[in-house]
Amino acid sequence: TAAQTIASGKTITLDLNGHSITADLPKTNIITVNGKLTVTDSGSGGRIENTGSSNNNAKVISVGSSGAFTLNSGTIAGAKKTIYTTTGTIIVNGGTVTTSATGGHGAINGGYVTVNGGTISAPNDNFAINTRQLTVTDGIITGGKYGVYFTSTYSDSFVNISGGTISGGSSYAVYVNSSKGYAKVTGG
């Protein structure tokens, strides 16, 4: 499988329909999203997986600064950073995001993240989610050490949790150490 790019201005829905996209791309992403990509699975067992693990650049989905990625169903699995962005948008409404990484790579890294459902897990890693802005209304988030790791220095940073289940393995469910921004838990 060769790396693919969703160009800026493009909006694409990918229905896995029970099929898998698997690649060993240790130095790149399977999909780079500069436009908008929604992944769904109308079948059973559909997944996108990057098995490349020799480099920190081995991502499954990389979202560009103006890009937006939405997961409604299916599985996104990585050996390092599974979904990564700096200032893009990531929305998880369902499905599974997981990483087999160790050492601080996480299942979701960076950007503006909303979790409305699904499962996000990094059972062997330090954290499941490390982000600039995080809103959690539902879903299950589990990390080997922290469920959510929040250390942003941006003034617009926040963690807002109103539902869902978050757990950390050997440490805290939610770790906050930020000189700017805030964390607010009203449910979950």
Side-chain angles (χ1 to χ4, degrees):
T1 301
Q4 301 295 312
T5 298
I6 309 300
S8 179
K10 296 287 185 182
T11 299
I12 294 178
T13 297
L14 172 62
D15 182 355
L16 296 171
N17 194 23
H19 297 282
S20 295
I21 299 170
T22 303
D24 183 355
L25 300 173
K27 295 185 180 181
T28 190
N29 322 306
I30 292 180
I31 302 172
T32 299
V33 181
N34 294 319
K36 294 180 180 178
L37 173 64
T38 299
V39 172
T40 187
D41 182 20
S42 62
S44 176
R47 68 190 289 122
I48 303 172
E49 182 172 11
N50 191 350
T51 58
S53 62
S54 63
N55 188 294
N56 286 343
N57 293 322
K59 303 167 191 84
V60 180
I61 308 285
S62 180
V63 183
S65 61
S66 61
F69 173 74
T70 301
L71 177 64
N72 289 331
S73 53
T75 297
I76 310 295
K80 288 286 185 183
K81 297 173 181 172
T82 305
I83 303 175
Y84 177 83
T85 187
T86 1
T87 56
T89 301
I90 299 166
I91 300 170
V92 179
N93 294 318
T96 300
V97 179
T98 186
T99 181
S100 59
T102 58
H105 299 285
I108 296 178
N109 285 270
Y112 306 98
V113 178
T114 301
V115 179
N116 297 316
T119 301
I120 300 163
S121 67
N124 305 315
D125 207 348
N126 287 342
F127 54 83
I129 299 177
N130 179 13
T131 185
R132 181 172 177 169
Q133 290 183 358
L134 174 64
T135 300
V136 180
T137 64
D138 201 358
I140 299 168
I141 300 168
T142 306
K145 188 169 185 180
Y146 309 105
V148 172
Y149 186 79
F150 180 70
T151 60
S152 182
T153 58
Y154 296 100
S155 60
D156 67 343
S157 298
F158 65 81
V159 172
N160 191 353
I161 300 167
S162 62
T165 302
I166 302 172
S167 60
S170 63
S171 196
Y172 305 105
V174 178
Y175 176 81
V176 177
N177 182 10
S178 180
S179 60
K180 297 183 179 179
Y182 68 90
K184 180 179 178 182
V185 178
T186 58

